[in-house]
Every structure is written in C-alpha cells, then in structure tokens.
Amino acid sequence: MDGPLKELFKLEKLTERGQGKAPSIENSLDSLLQSLRQVKDCINAGSVTEDTYVLLAQTVEAKKKEIDEKQKEIYNGIARLGKALDKKFTQPLPTYDPLFTSDSAQAALERTIALHFLRTGQFSTAETFIQECGIFIKPELRTQFQDLHRIVLALKRQDIGPALEWSLKNREFLRKRSSPLEFYLHRSQFIRLLLAEPLDAGPAISYANATLRSFYPEHAAEFQRLMTSVLYLPKERLRRSPYADLASDSVHTDLEPLFAKEYCTSLGMSRQVPLRVIGDIGGGGALARIEKARTVMKDRRGEWSQTDELPIEIQLPPENRYHSIFACPVSKEQSTNQNPPMMMTCGHVITKDSLQKLCKSNGRVKCPYCPAESQQVNALRVLF
C-alpha cells in the first residue's frame, strides 16, 4: 500500500491552501473578488476609467489561468492515484451479498468504526459519526482515548512526564507483563541528558543513579551498555562506536507505539488497530489472492472443503502473525485442529496423519528421525 498512500499524501498536499506550484483556488478567487470590489467602489465613486476595465479584464483572465492550472495539478494527482491503485489491485474487487444486514451486526460495525476513530485520535470525526449513527460509547472510554493521545503527543514533543506518570500508576500491571516501558522511558531521558549541549555527563549519570538503578536486576545488560556509552562521547564518536544504536532517534520514537500498545492492553484491547489490520492484510493482496483462488477452483469444479483454512498460502508480515505455525517435517503440511502436531516419546514432533501412516499393525511407531520406537497411544498433542 506504500505506492497508493504516497500518491494520496501528495494529493492531500495539493488540495491544502498554499501548496503546489499554482496558488490555491481559494486564494485566486479571493483575489478576484477583491479586484471586483475595488472596481465597484470606483464605479460608485465615479472615478472609473477605461483603463480600470482593461485591468479588470486582465485580472479575470490571469485568475482564470491560475485556477485552470491548479485544477490541472489536482486532476493529474487524481490520475496518478488511480494508476497506483490499479497497479496495486490487479484483480477486480469481488462482490458479495450484504454481510451486515441484521440490526445487531450493523450496530457492531458502527461501534467498531467509532472506536477506530477514537483510538486513532480523530475525535471530531468520531463525535460526528457517533451522533449520526446514534450509538452509545461510554464517556469514560472516550476520556481514556483522549488521555492516550495526550500522552502520545507529549512523547512526540520529547516530554516523558505524562507517560512516566501513567507507568508509575500502572507499574504492577506492567511488571506482570514483563513490559520494559518504564525502563525505556528513563533510558530515553538518560540519553537525552547525556547528549545535551554543552557536553556534560554529570546530569545523566546522576539521573541514572536516581532512576535506573532499581531496574538493574531485569535489565543488567542494557544498564551496562548505557553506563559504558559515556566513554564514547560526544555524539559523533558514539555513532561510530558499538553503542551507535543509542544515538539513534528510534530510542525516542519507538516509545510512542510501545506506550500505545501497553495502554490499549490495559483497557483490554488489541495491541493493533483492528480496522487498520484488515486494511493492511486485505488491501495488501490477500483479498485478491483469495478471490483468484476461488475463481480457479470454480473453473475446475473444485470445492473448498475446509472452512477454517485457506486452499492457498497467504504471506503475512511478522506483526500480523498471531499464533505459532507447525509444518510437519514428514508430510510438509501445516497442522490444523483436525491434524494437530503430536510428540512421540523420543521428543520428535510430527502431525497426527503422519503418525497414523507410520503406525504398524501392532500399534508401534518408529520415529523417522531417530532409532526410537514407541506406542502410538503414548504420543501427546502439542499445543502452541
């Protein structure tokens, strides 16, 4: 989706006031109206001349040309966006019967969209959507999302105070999850103090002694790296050292998604925005591939026999893989609920179907990877 999103960003820039090669249409029209009012004032005052009308005609023609050029820019941007979408979505989108026909399904969809707007910080859009749909979102939930984005904006401004305050209040929750959020917040502040001008490691070391010492048992290796990085100042030298990653902006910018993930988890929500995941996976090519597979199977008069698995493999990015996958080393097939992974007494794991095929008439199975033999009934199902 990078290509279409890039063209969409360019189009949004073009439509903003004062962006692009030509003046915005609003500015051109405002300038033309001002010229018309000036001519009107001259007419009312009786001071109009032939040159006034000539100048007005020239102004109208110039502004018309500006508007035409701006519209041409916008139309070209729309055309480039269309080409990018056609290039990304080579297969036409499939058509299905309406999925959200019942009142409960419609209400669930509307609630999901409203929560998406709130979670992504589009509060004015969310309020309008909520009012038009007539759905109810608890006021405390709205307040929590507003608090989330207030803290994230503070992190963007390199202010860890609000995030640190939230972390202290929810320290027990973070410790149960073994979350490094609080440590990373202090690490960010330590590095900011360490690299501040004029160069003086004293404030950073004092800050580490006051705040980071308690994290040493859980983050000993990282604590040692922070203390050793002091030897490689200034910043230019640190970037050429084994601790160059500490001079990277990602030490600070990675705090924003980490905090958002922990905050949403504390509310019982997924770490990723659900509608964004749907768009990334479906819009990223999965929907087109599934539709193509369905068309091929229909042409070959095949049927989709399994309702819980796909007939083709869909490659997903690591952040969208939510469970472990086991492929049988014997059959090379992916395990399912009907064909789960089974561990023999020797410790090697194969799928249930492979285990049954290797089983002899007396119920014994020879492991395909070692000399051990065992009873089929002694094999244990492995749960990932």
Side-chain angles (χ1 to χ4, degrees):
M1 291 296 289
D2 290 343
L5 288 175
K6 186 177 180 180
E7 294 299 334
L8 179 61
F9 177 75
K10 291 180 180 178
L11 183 60
E12 289 175 346
K13 282 291 184 183
L14 278 177
T15 55
E16 288 179 3
R17 208 178 181 99
Q19 298 291 332
K21 297 179 181 178
S24 69
I25 295 176
E26 292 86 349
N27 289 340
S28 298
L29 290 175
D30 290 343
S31 178
L32 179 59
L33 285 173
Q34 185 178 0
S35 299
L36 291 171
R37 292 191 183 100
Q38 289 175 352
V39 172
K40 180 181 177 182
D41 293 339
C42 291
I43 294 173
N44 293 334
S47 58
V48 66
T49 63
E50 186 176 346
D51 291 340
T52 304
Y53 293 116
V54 173
L55 183 60
L56 178 61
Q58 293 175 349
T59 302
V60 171
E61 188 64 28
K63 297 306 174 185
K64 179 178 177 297
K65 186 177 180 181
E66 288 179 0
I67 293 173
D68 289 342
E69 289 178 353
K70 188 64 178 181
Q71 286 182 321
K72 185 178 179 181
E73 277 189 72
I74 295 174
Y75 291 151
N76 288 339
I78 294 173
R80 287 193 298 270
L81 176 61
K83 290 178 181 178
L85 289 171
D86 291 339
K87 186 177 180 180
K88 183 66 180 178
F89 302 102
T90 55
Q91 297 290 332
L93 292 176
T95 56
Y96 300 101
D97 295 331
L99 299 176
F100 301 94
T101 53
S102 66
D103 293 340
S104 59
Q106 186 73 23
L109 176 61
E110 291 172 350
R111 178 179 174 81
T112 301
I113 296 173
L115 290 176
H116 173 81
F117 288 139
L118 289 171
R119 182 166 176 171
T120 54
Q122 304 176 67
F123 298 113
S124 59
T125 305
E127 291 300 327
T128 303
F129 183 83
I130 290 170
Q131 290 176 6
E132 291 183 355
C133 294
I135 57 179
F136 175 73
I137 303 293
K138 293 181 179 179
E140 54 267 28
L141 187 58
R142 300 189 198 187
T143 303
Q144 288 168 333
F145 280 125
Q146 290 170 353
D147 188 48
L148 165 63
H149 286 277
R150 175 184 64 83
I151 298 174
V152 170
L153 287 175
L155 288 174
K156 287 181 183 292
R157 298 192 303 268
Q158 298 186 352
D159 177 13
I160 68 167
L164 199 56
E165 181 182 354
W166 183 89
S167 300
L168 292 173
K169 290 180 181 177
N170 296 270
R171 176 174 285 177
E172 191 61 29
F173 166 78
L174 295 174
R175 283 183 174 174
K176 287 180 180 179
R177 286 175 46 79
S178 300
S179 171
L181 176 61
E182 188 177 353
F183 173 75
Y184 283 173
L185 288 169
H186 286 302
R187 183 185 68 172
S188 173
Q189 184 64 14
F190 169 82
I191 295 173
R192 197 172 289 116
L193 292 172
L194 186 67
L195 302 179
E197 296 291 343
L199 192 63
D200 182 9
I205 295 174
S206 298
Y207 182 84
N209 188 49
T211 60
L212 290 173
R213 184 183 292 272
S214 61
F215 294 95
Y216 184 83
E218 296 85 6
H219 304 277
E222 186 65 20
F223 185 90
Q224 292 168 3
R225 294 182 78 247
L226 291 175
M227 293 299 99
T228 309
S229 66
V230 177
L231 302 176
Y232 291 90
L233 294 178
K235 188 174 183 178
E236 291 73 20
R237 188 184 175 200
L238 182 62
R239 285 175 172 169
R240 299 190 301 268
S241 73
Y243 310 102
D245 58 298
L246 297 179
S248 172
D249 291 337
S250 62
V251 172
H252 312 291
T253 57
D254 288 351
L255 291 174
E256 298 164 25
L258 176 60
F259 177 82
K261 181 186 78 171
E262 297 297 346
Y263 191 99
C264 291
T265 303
S266 70
L267 300 180
M269 295 187 171
S270 62
R271 62 183 177 87
Q272 294 172 291
V273 182
L275 286 186
R276 188 170 292 165
V277 173
I278 292 172
D280 290 344
I281 295 177
L287 186 60
R289 292 196 64 192
I290 292 172
E291 180 61 19
K292 183 178 180 180
R294 191 180 73 156
T295 303
V296 171
M297 293 180 69
K298 184 178 179 181
D299 293 340
R300 295 179 180 177
R301 297 184 179 181
E303 292 186 1
W304 202 322
S305 59
Q306 297 292 336
T307 58
D308 60 345
E309 59 181 271
L310 298 174
I312 55 174
E313 183 178 1
I314 304 293
Q315 292 292 340
L316 297 176
E319 62 270 17
N320 294 132
R321 298 173 187 170
Y322 304 105
H323 58 82
S324 301
I325 297 173
F326 175 77
C328 178
V330 175
S331 65
K332 311 301 182 185
E333 294 179 351
Q334 184 176 319
S335 63
T336 64
N337 288 333
Q338 291 73 32
N339 185 28
M342 305 293 292
M343 183 175 68
M344 296 173 286
T345 54
C346 60
H348 290 111
V349 181
I350 58 177
T351 56
K352 184 177 181 180
D353 287 350
S354 298
L355 182 69
Q356 292 174 345
K357 290 176 182 178
L358 293 172
C359 183
K360 299 177 183 178
S361 57
N362 59 359
R364 296 189 66 80
V365 179
K366 182 186 179 302
C367 176
Y369 292 96
C370 72
E373 286 192 12
S374 59
Q375 289 288 336
Q376 180 186 0
V377 295
N378 293 333
L380 299 176
R381 178 174 178 175
V382 179
L383 299 175
F384 288 97

